[in-house]
Amino acid sequence: MTLHLGYGTNGLTDLRLDDALNLLADLGYEGVGLTLDHMHLDPMAPDLTERTRQVRRRLTSLGLRVTVETGARYVLDPRCKHGPSLLDPDPEARAARTALLVRAVDVAAELGAHAVHCFSGITPPGTPPDTAWKRLTEAITPVLAAADRSGVPLAIEPEPGHLLATLADFHHLRGLLGDPGPLGLTLDIGHCQCLEEATPLECVKESAPWLRHVQIEDMRRGVHEHLPFGEGEIDFPPVLAALAASDYRGLTVVELPRHSHAGPELARTSIDFLRDALTRGTATEGAAPC
């Protein structure tokens, strides 16, 4: 049993992309969660196609796998964090987010990525729930069509404070859309600890059939703060053993977006922590009686 470990570039924003990729390969990571943003691979730049091809060649030369992530804070609106979203009251604003996600799918296909990550966004004040879900389903449908054409699944992430905040919300969206094949799940292990009624271990087991991407960090119950491993409350060995034993074969990406100032060191300590925790978790599981 094994995991394919990666590290998110949103936690290495003080490094040039080439330097970040070299660092991760040298540390033994198998892949990278590549956030499309101005400092690494800018999805709004006129040279996106050529730059994407260059990144693909670099990933290939380093033997790194990739997931495309779309959580850049100000890539569309320099004054509104994560704006506009798929839930924006303005149809043109929603369309801008949809277009960005379709572009992300195209980038992912060019890179040979195993998934494209996204999230719903926060429900605007005064918006009835039915209206918010209707906006989400309509705005995400063209992205799913692009994912279907490209063969790269869309992996939506339950995010604390968003319309789609929990695993139950993910399944609600699946039902509204008729359970489309290209729609999968990004499971953030820390978010499970923060918000879900089930434990992170139970979340992994329950969500395994829909996993297309996994993000991982430490976290405390009820506090949405991404923490370095060992600073939160998660019991990682059984969680990692369950992930390794599942059918999920994508990347498990360390997600520390507010720790770029210490990114290189945290990338080193994180992979050491995860390898040790996986070894302990699988050893315990192997020793369990039948």
Side-chain angles (χ1 to χ4, degrees):
M1 296 188 294
T2 188
L3 290 181
H4 305 287
L5 298 176
Y7 201 94
T9 59
N10 61 0
L12 296 169
T13 56
D14 291 330
L15 276 65
R16 299 177 184 87
L17 181 57
D18 279 355
D19 291 339
L21 297 180
N22 285 331
L23 170 72
L24 299 181
D26 287 346
L27 289 173
Y29 284 96
E30 292 186 50
V32 57
L34 176 58
T35 296
L36 301 185
D37 207 350
H38 65 89
M39 78 292 292
H40 287 148
L41 185 58
D42 187 350
M44 313 306 291
D47 63 345
L48 177 62
T49 299
E50 179 53 34
R51 178 65 175 143
T52 300
R53 290 170 180 166
Q54 292 174 4
V55 173
R56 180 191 65 197
R57 291 192 288 270
R58 191 70 186 129
L59 290 167
T60 300
S61 70
L62 293 170
L64 292 173
R65 302 170 65 191
V66 62
T67 302
V68 169
E69 301 195 353
T70 61
R73 293 182 177 93
Y74 297 99
V75 70
L76 286 178
D77 186 337
R79 300 186 180 189
C80 180
K81 181 181 177 182
H82 297 314
S85 80
L86 296 172
L87 308 178
D88 199 284
D90 182 353
E92 292 186 3
R94 295 198 299 274
R97 177 61 62 172
T98 296
L100 176 65
L101 293 178
V102 170
R103 187 172 303 180
V105 171
D106 293 339
V107 169
E110 179 67 32
L111 293 176
H114 75 80
V116 173
H117 149 277
C118 72
F119 43 62
S120 69
I122 298 170
T123 304
T127 304
D130 288 349
T131 299
W133 284 107
K134 184 174 185 292
R135 288 176 185 168
L136 178 59
T137 57
E138 291 176 349
I140 207 171
T141 293
V143 189
L144 291 169
D148 192 34
R149 290 192 300 270
S150 70
V152 180
L154 184 69
I156 194 164
E157 176 187 8
E159 183 80 23
H162 284 212
L163 173 68
L164 198 154
T166 66
L167 291 174
D169 294 331
F170 166 70
H171 292 299
H172 180 61
L173 179 64
R174 285 179 54 234
L176 291 175
L177 290 168
D179 198 15
L183 179 65
L185 173 69
T186 292
L187 185 70
D188 187 303
I189 302 301
H191 293 174
C192 297
Q193 176 69 22
C194 173
L195 195 63
E196 298 285 352
E197 292 184 7
T199 67
L201 174 59
E202 292 166 338
C203 289
V204 167
K205 292 180 176 180
E206 293 171 6
S207 62
W210 299 278
L211 287 184
R212 301 296 179 267
H213 184 43
V214 174
Q215 297 173 343
I216 193 165
E217 69 286 319
D218 217 339
M219 204 168 286
R220 301 186 184 100
R221 182 70 179 167
V223 182
H224 185 202
E225 181 182 3
H226 291 232
L227 299 172
F229 297 111
E231 295 186 14
E233 302 169 339
I234 299 175
D235 182 15
F236 282 99
V239 173
L240 296 178
L243 263 178
S246 73
D247 288 334
Y248 176 67
R249 294 296 176 262
L251 291 174
T252 297
V253 171
V254 178
E255 187 81 358
L256 293 172
R258 296 186 180 181
H259 292 77
S260 280
H261 63 283
E265 176 61 14
L266 280 172
R268 182 188 66 79
T269 57
S270 293
I271 195 169
D272 290 344
F273 179 96
L274 290 172
R275 284 171 168 168
D276 177 68
L278 178 60
T279 297
R280 289 187 285 121
T282 52
T284 301
E285 185 169 282
C290 297

